[in-house]
Amino acid sequence: MNGAESLIRTLTAHGVDVCFANPGTSEMHLVQAVDAVNEMRAVLCLFEGVCTGAADGYGRMKGLPATTLLHLGAGLGNGIANLHNCRRAGTPLINIVGDHAIHHVAHDAPLTSDIEAVAKPVSAWIRTSRTSMGVGLDTVDAVQAALAPRPDPRGGISTLILPADCSWGEGRTQPKGPRFDDTITPLPVPDSDIEAAARLIGPDTMLLIDGSGLRQEPAIVATGRIAAKTGCSLYTPTFPARVEAGPELPIIERLPYFPEQILSLMASVKRLVLVGAQAPVSFFAYQNLPGYLVPDGCEVTTLAHRHEDVAKALEDLASALDANAEPSRPQGERPPAPEGGLSARAIAAIVAARAPENSIVAADSGGGGAAFGVMQRTVPHSWLNLTGGSIGGGGPVALGAAIACPDRPTFALLGDGGAMYTNQFLWTAARENANVTTVIYSNRQYNILEVEYRRLGVNEIGPRAASLFDLSNPDLDWTKLAEAQGVPGTRATTCEEFDAQLTQAIAEDGPHLIEAVL
Amino acid sequence: MNGAESLIRTLTAHGVDVCFANPGTSEMHLVQAVDAVNEMRAVLCLFEGVCTGAADGYGRMKGLPATTLLHLGAGLGNGIANLHNCRRAGTPLINIVGDHAIHHVAHDAPLTSDIEAVAKPVSAWIRTSRTSMGVGLDTVDAVQAALAPRPDPRGGISTLILPADCSWGEGRTQPKGPRFDDTITPLPVPDSDIEAAARLIGPDTMLLIDGSGLRQEPAIVATGRIAAKTGCSLYTPTFPARVEAGPELPIIERLPYFPEQILSLMASVKRLVLVGAQAPVSFFAYQNLPGYLVPDGCEVTTLAHRHEDVAKALEDLASALDANAEPSRPQGERPPAPEGGLSARAIAAIVAARAPENSIVAADSGGGGAAFGVMQRTVPHSWLNLTGGSIGGGGPVALGAAIACPDRPTFALLGDGGAMYTNQFLWTAARENANVTTVIYSNRQYNILEVEYRRLGVNEIGPRAASLFDLSNPDLDWTKLAEAQGVPGTRATTCEEFDAQLTQAIAEDGPHLIEAVL
């Protein structure tokens, strides 16, 4: 067994068995190993940002890392934007990056680059293997680091760089040992902290919740009980990685986007309790607005850090408060689908009306993101948000989620600008017959930029500036872009058309794309 | 005038007046400045790898940097792969990367990242502006660094990071001063080195030429005279950034790709003279093959380093040798266009038969690259090669070259796998009505990977490995992919069809795409 095979077999022994791959010559022994190890599923992507985004979506749904397989620093570089999002999501992920043989690096051949330097801004753990016999142990460390609870803002991304001679040299597999599980268990929050929090929560308190507090149903139910008992308000950050939501669960509102909106909301908050979340800050800096959005006089307490057991802390807090009463639940009914002209609001209502129970919804634009408020009141689903602000995440994240959960209908709600960065996810969705329905909010502009430009105080946008926000001239034809990559595509200009096309996409297996012309 | 406007005005004062842009919110003041400064042309790209590749192509043709305009670390990350190619090409280029206001970075908002760390592997010069009044001077330094002759393998890439408060604060422009030109003049090669080289060149000598030695006609003519006088052989590296070629110029052959081919070629070379080039090394490491490809006993001499005046060194060498005789020139005639089934060889012959004089040709795959040998014998053109091995460069490079030289017909000869990474260049080509004819070598596989896989000694490729080389299932439909982005697309399956479609594409203004099904 060579080093490459020891890597793949060690991964599968640890439950890591999906690889989003875009290999090159330096990864040929790894391809050979994938061919030899049936337990590893390899999914080809035609651009590395699709690999990293899909691995993020997979990890958000599974709680286990997928791997990428990337080609030296240039391949890893193409994956950086979605690794940035993944790092903000705190998703476990393992990059496997092939490199030249160790003795070849000094020749500075054309593809040679400083891979560790490329990896550094987006990795919590980096190692370049130095011997083929050590690759198995390096792999265990990579998996452990990806799953280890950590306060590090670079999340759970491990990057293992494999020189070609460590691939082709003799290797050995490392089995999973009992020590492994101990090292990945999050720290419990001390009882004294739970009790202290219980004493201070009241109607003027905001619980800001993230991480497992938004993912595990008992924790979410506990938040509703806490709110019912104390009158506190419940919020997620503006960009949570994943929220389990639906009419049977208590409503946890999402913080708005613009700083003045958050400031207005926070004005009446006297106590902010952070539960796996960070205190709210402005997404961008603006002249004459603060960056830190907690008002003077508001007391900030941390119930649980992101590396601690956030979900259990919420359940313990409910117990400490004797908050056993059933929380009020919205028991929403499916709204009737709207009719007439299409808008982001109408799309949200139609998706909320038609999405099957237990759907997964990924969004990476303002238009798509606005669907959350409707959907959490109408249909049980997992919501996957853009996290790091780098648009182009949503399509790959939906693809990875659909591969993690093939029985759950998955929706990608994407702006046209954002979807272009990583349009290649469509091809992989077609190849894998992934059950992803992609909705393109086709407003033919970078709408957020025009909004932000006007916030500078500019009332008249000159033609040269306007051209930089404009995605028309030429108009993108999303049905052709989808069909070019094997995905059936349709175009909707009215609610009725959109409703009919969405209904058909849901009824049929495999990927679909609907261009919703706004 | 604010800092952003001082940046744009300082750039145009130094002759830098094209910006390949994909801005975000942190760049809104820069957009405002572009709107205010008519001398700056902004070209919107829908993916940052198109920005960086196009700036590379522009810089290769103009000898002056274009800028990119990118959005924080994630936007720069998307540009890394083509910056890697650009760095290997030694092209001057200036990245302008917006960042949060300095006081906002500590809040660790979602898009915050270590931009300097992202820039480091692909930049020769990096600075984060610290005051708005200093932005003008920072800009001069960025331009100077991009143009300064340097041995640094990270080429002429400057990355200037502009915090939002340095954009919106008061700034001042910096005019171009006389000192500037002095600092960008390459060093001359000492006469003693020229004379030493003249003494050792003979029939068993190979001149390996790169940089300005392949770009400036007097230097290229000088190489032919040197060869005629001494019997030496003339070669470019395997991946030269730009070569001026055609039937009126002496033939400089290109080194082959695989190490055993280069070893075979070098076996009879007793003296290797490097003229702006590095000694040949294997692109990848292979078991049982050396990485350094100069045979034992071959004497290696450097006539000119890449930061020196390579072109003048060749002219001086010809003078020192009294090599005044007209070199033999191939005086090639246009070959007849082949008929029947399409192949990479047939495509090369048809492009060579039909390309107008003074065309520009960019290639980034083995199939496309093979056209060089035919074209240099038949039609005067500028050849732009993939340099750093990161496929996906060719389309954006052709786009940038066409914007630099709008009167010259430009061709992009691209593999289907490579073209997918950066397919968004098509949209910008349509918007700018760039005169780029894209030929997709549609073999529906990563052919080089299958070749490299077999080189491992594998004779039967298993289905799981084969799936990672295979671009069918589903087949990519390039005509739809082009039309989706506003570029007329056709498909050719025979030489006759390809010839007719190419002829029409050449006759019509603006971009075209031909999918050549192999």
Side-chain angles (χ1 to χ4, degrees):
Chain A
M1 178 185 309
N2 64 19
E5 189 171 331
S6 80
L7 186 153
I8 301 297
R9 290 200 185 278
T10 301
L11 285 173
T12 58
H14 287 73
V16 180
D17 53 12
V18 170
C19 172
F20 295 97
N22 189 259
T25 299
S26 43
E27 290 77 56
M28 285 302 100
H29 290 88
L30 285 157
V31 169
Q32 203 176 16
V34 164
D35 205 52
V37 181
N38 286 326
E39 294 76 15
M40 178 60 77
R41 177 178 179 185
V43 177
L44 180 62
C45 305
L46 303 188
F47 168 64
E48 295 87 345
V50 178
C51 298
T52 55
D56 181 9
Y58 179 96
R60 288 195 210 181
M61 293 312 301
K62 280 275 188 182
L64 277 172
T67 79
T68 64
L69 178 57
L70 306 173
H71 188 46
L72 297 100
L76 178 61
N78 271 338
I80 279 188
N82 275 337
L83 290 173
H84 171 84
N85 288 327
C86 178
R87 157 200 131 145
R88 290 293 179 186
T91 312
L93 183 153
I94 301 169
N95 292 308
I96 309 293
V97 186
D99 194 3
H100 289 312
I102 294 169
H103 55 82
H104 197 67
V105 171
H107 293 311
D108 196 33
L111 261 168
T112 309
S113 65
D114 184 346
I115 304 176
E116 291 197 2
V118 177
K120 185 167 174 289
V122 288
S123 306
W125 180 97
I126 302 171
R127 185 176 299 164
T128 303
S129 288
R130 291 283 117 194
T131 70
S132 58
M133 289 301 277
V135 168
L137 271 175
D138 293 337
T139 306
V140 176
D141 289 350
V143 180
Q144 190 179 53
L147 287 168
R150 61 176 68 241
D152 185 319
R154 278 173 291 182
I157 302 178
S158 295
T159 299
L160 177 58
I161 301 162
L162 198 67
D165 46 349
C166 297
S167 267
W168 72 51
E170 182 71 15
R172 68 179 154 215
T173 307
Q174 293 293 334
K176 186 170 177 179
R179 220 185 118 263
F180 183 86
D181 291 322
D182 292 344
T183 57
I184 63 172
T185 306
L187 289 171
V189 173
D191 288 344
S192 56
D193 288 13
I194 302 286
E195 286 151 20
R199 280 191 297 274
L200 63 80
I201 295 179
D204 53 5
T205 301
M206 174 189 285
L207 257 58
L208 188 58
I209 306 158
D210 204 351
S212 59
L214 301 175
R215 298 185 188 200
Q216 295 182 19
E217 189 165 322
I220 299 167
V221 170
T223 65
R225 290 180 175 155
I226 294 165
K229 177 90 175 197
T230 65
C232 74
S233 60
L234 303 174
Y235 276 86
T236 80
T238 308
F239 295 117
R242 175 177 164 192
V243 189
E244 291 301 304
E248 300 296 316
L249 291 171
I251 293 290
I252 306 179
E253 299 285 355
R254 195 149 65 108
L255 282 184
Y257 176 75
F258 285 112
E260 54 272 36
Q261 296 171 315
I262 296 179
L263 286 169
S264 164
L265 177 73
M266 300 282 300
S268 60
V269 175
K270 298 293 172 227
R271 292 187 182 85
L272 174 65
V273 177
L274 302 173
V275 196
Q278 289 176 288
V281 300
S282 181
F283 198 87
F284 290 106
Y286 299 93
Q287 290 175 274
N288 309 318
L289 278 172
Y292 184 68
L293 301 177
V294 180
D296 287 347
C298 176
E299 183 187 342
V300 181
T301 310
T302 299
L303 174 62
H305 294 278
R306 56 190 282 164
H307 65 288
E308 294 173 328
D309 194 336
V310 171
K312 178 146 189 307
L314 285 166
E315 292 179 67
D316 289 350
L317 180 61
S319 296
L321 285 163
D322 265 337
N324 300 316
E326 277 296 295
S328 80
R329 288 172 172 175
Q331 298 290 350
E333 287 187 9
R334 297 290 186 117
E339 299 172 350
L342 264 184
S343 65
R345 183 188 295 256
I347 292 170
I350 297 170
V351 173
R354 303 295 177 220
E357 297 209 348
N358 213 24
S359 291
I360 300 168
V361 186
D364 82 345
S365 71
F372 178 67
V374 188
M375 295 196 69
Q376 70 176 160
R377 288 166 170 83
T378 50
V379 53
H381 71 284
S382 299
W383 179 266
L384 305 179
N385 213 86
L386 180 68
T387 51
S390 180
I391 55 176
V397 162
L399 168 67
I403 283 172
C405 306
D407 298 331
R408 300 181 61 180
T410 300
F411 297 85
L413 309 181
L414 311 179
D416 47 2
M420 271 307 283
Y421 292 88
T422 52
N423 68 69
Q424 305 91 341
F425 83 91
L426 292 165
W427 184 84
T428 302
R431 168 173 276 202
E432 301 292 329
N433 199 35
N435 201 6
V436 177
T437 299
T438 298
V439 178
I440 302 289
Y441 289 63
S442 182
N443 59 12
R444 294 170 178 161
Q445 60 177 331
Y446 289 127
N447 177 254
I448 183 66
L449 295 190
E450 187 167 324
V451 171
E452 296 276 13
Y453 197 68
R454 289 188 189 280
R455 285 169 63 89
L456 301 187
V458 183
N459 291 316
E460 293 205 9
I461 302 181
R464 291 151 51 77
S467 77
L468 295 176
F469 310 146
D470 171 34
L471 300 184
S472 71
N473 180 23
D475 284 339
L476 290 162
D477 183 332
W478 281 94
T479 61
K480 283 188 175 164
L481 203 63
E483 288 164 2
Q485 303 189 55
V487 172
T490 55
R491 179 178 293 116
T493 57
T494 65
C495 285
E496 289 78 1
E497 287 172 3
F498 182 77
D499 194 1
Q501 291 168 17
L502 186 71
T503 301
Q504 186 177 353
I506 291 168
E508 292 176 4
D509 199 26
H512 294 78
L513 180 142
I514 304 170
E515 177 178 359
V517 179
L518 299 176
Chain B
M1 178 186 306
N2 64 20
E5 190 171 330
S6 80
L7 185 152
I8 301 297
R9 289 199 185 279
T10 301
L11 286 173
T12 57
H14 287 74
V16 180
D17 54 12
V18 169
C19 172
F20 295 96
N22 188 260
T25 298
S26 42
E27 290 76 55
M28 284 302 100
H29 290 88
L30 285 157
V31 169
Q32 204 175 14
V34 165
D35 205 51
V37 182
N38 287 326
E39 294 76 16
M40 178 60 78
R41 176 177 179 186
V43 177
L44 181 62
C45 306
L46 303 187
F47 169 64
E48 296 88 344
V50 178
C51 297
T52 54
D56 181 8
Y58 180 96
R60 288 195 209 179
M61 293 312 300
K62 279 275 189 183
L64 276 172
T67 79
T68 65
L69 178 58
L70 306 174
H71 188 45
L72 297 100
L76 178 61
N78 272 337
I80 279 187
N82 275 336
L83 289 174
H84 171 83
N85 288 326
C86 178
R87 158 199 129 145
R88 290 292 178 186
T91 312
L93 183 152
I94 302 169
N95 292 307
I96 309 291
V97 187
D99 194 4
H100 290 312
I102 294 168
H103 55 80
H104 197 66
V105 172
H107 294 311
D108 196 33
L111 261 167
T112 309
S113 65
D114 185 345
I115 303 175
E116 292 197 2
V118 177
K120 186 168 174 288
V122 288
S123 306
W125 180 98
I126 302 170
R127 185 176 298 164
T128 303
S129 288
R130 290 285 115 193
T131 69
S132 58
M133 289 301 277
V135 168
L137 271 176
D138 292 338
T139 306
V140 176
D141 290 349
V143 180
Q144 190 180 52
L147 287 168
R150 59 175 70 241
D152 185 316
R154 278 172 293 182
I157 302 178
S158 295
T159 299
L160 177 58
I161 301 163
L162 197 69
D165 47 349
C166 296
S167 267
W168 72 52
E170 182 71 15
R172 67 178 155 216
T173 307
Q174 293 293 333
K176 186 170 177 179
R179 222 185 116 262
F180 184 86
D181 291 322
D182 292 343
T183 57
I184 62 171
T185 306
L187 289 171
V189 172
D191 288 345
S192 55
D193 288 14
I194 303 284
E195 286 151 20
R199 282 192 295 275
L200 63 79
I201 296 180
D204 52 6
T205 302
M206 174 188 285
L207 256 59
L208 188 59
I209 306 158
D210 203 352
S212 60
L214 301 175
R215 297 184 188 201
Q216 296 182 18
E217 189 165 321
I220 299 167
V221 170
T223 65
R225 290 181 175 156
I226 294 165
K229 177 89 176 195
T230 65
C232 73
S233 60
L234 304 173
Y235 276 86
T236 80
T238 308
F239 294 117
R242 177 178 164 192
V243 188
E244 292 301 304
E248 298 297 316
L249 291 171
I251 293 290
I252 307 179
E253 300 284 354
R254 194 149 66 106
L255 282 183
Y257 176 75
F258 285 112
E260 54 271 39
Q261 296 171 316
I262 297 180
L263 286 170
S264 164
L265 178 73
M266 299 282 300
S268 59
V269 175
K270 298 292 173 229
R271 293 187 181 84
L272 174 65
V273 177
L274 302 173
V275 197
Q278 289 175 288
V281 300
S282 181
F283 199 86
F284 291 105
Y286 298 93
Q287 289 175 274
N288 308 320
L289 279 173
Y292 184 69
L293 301 179
V294 179
D296 286 346
C298 175
E299 183 187 343
V300 181
T301 309
T302 299
L303 173 63
H305 294 279
R306 56 190 282 164
H307 65 289
E308 295 173 327
D309 194 337
V310 172
K312 177 143 189 311
L314 286 166
E315 292 179 67
D316 290 350
L317 180 61
S319 297
L321 285 163
D322 265 336
N324 300 316
E326 277 297 293
S328 80
R329 287 172 171 175
Q331 298 291 353
E333 286 186 12
R334 298 288 187 119
E339 299 173 350
L342 264 184
S343 64
R345 183 188 295 257
I347 293 169
I350 297 170
V351 173
R354 303 295 176 221
E357 297 210 346
N358 213 23
S359 292
I360 300 168
V361 186
D364 81 347
S365 71
F372 178 66
V374 187
M375 294 196 70
Q376 71 176 159
R377 287 166 170 83
T378 49
V379 52
H381 70 284
S382 299
W383 179 266
L384 306 178
N385 212 86
L386 179 68
T387 51
S390 180
I391 55 174
V397 162
L399 168 67
I403 283 172
C405 306
D407 298 331
R408 300 180 61 179
T410 301
F411 297 85
L413 309 182
L414 312 178
D416 47 2
M420 271 308 283
Y421 292 88
T422 53
N423 66 70
Q424 305 91 341
F425 83 91
L426 292 165
W427 184 85
T428 301
R431 167 173 276 204
E432 301 292 328
N433 199 36
N435 202 5
V436 177
T437 299
T438 298
V439 178
I440 302 289
Y441 289 63
S442 183
N443 59 11
R444 293 171 179 161
Q445 61 177 330
Y446 289 127
N447 177 254
I448 183 66
L449 296 190
E450 189 168 322
V451 171
E452 295 277 13
Y453 197 69
R454 290 188 190 280
R455 285 170 61 88
L456 302 188
V458 182
N459 291 318
E460 292 206 10
I461 302 181
R464 293 152 51 76
S467 77
L468 294 176
F469 309 146
D470 170 34
L471 300 184
S472 73
N473 181 24
D475 283 339
L476 289 162
D477 183 331
W478 282 95
T479 63
K480 283 188 175 165
L481 203 63
E483 288 164 2
Q485 302 189 57
V487 172
T490 56
R491 180 178 293 116
T493 56
T494 64
C495 285
E496 289 79 1
E497 288 172 2
F498 181 77
D499 194 1
Q501 292 168 17
L502 185 72
T503 301
Q504 186 176 354
I506 290 168
E508 293 177 4
D509 200 28
H512 294 77
L513 179 142
I514 305 170
E515 177 178 358
V517 179
L518 298 178

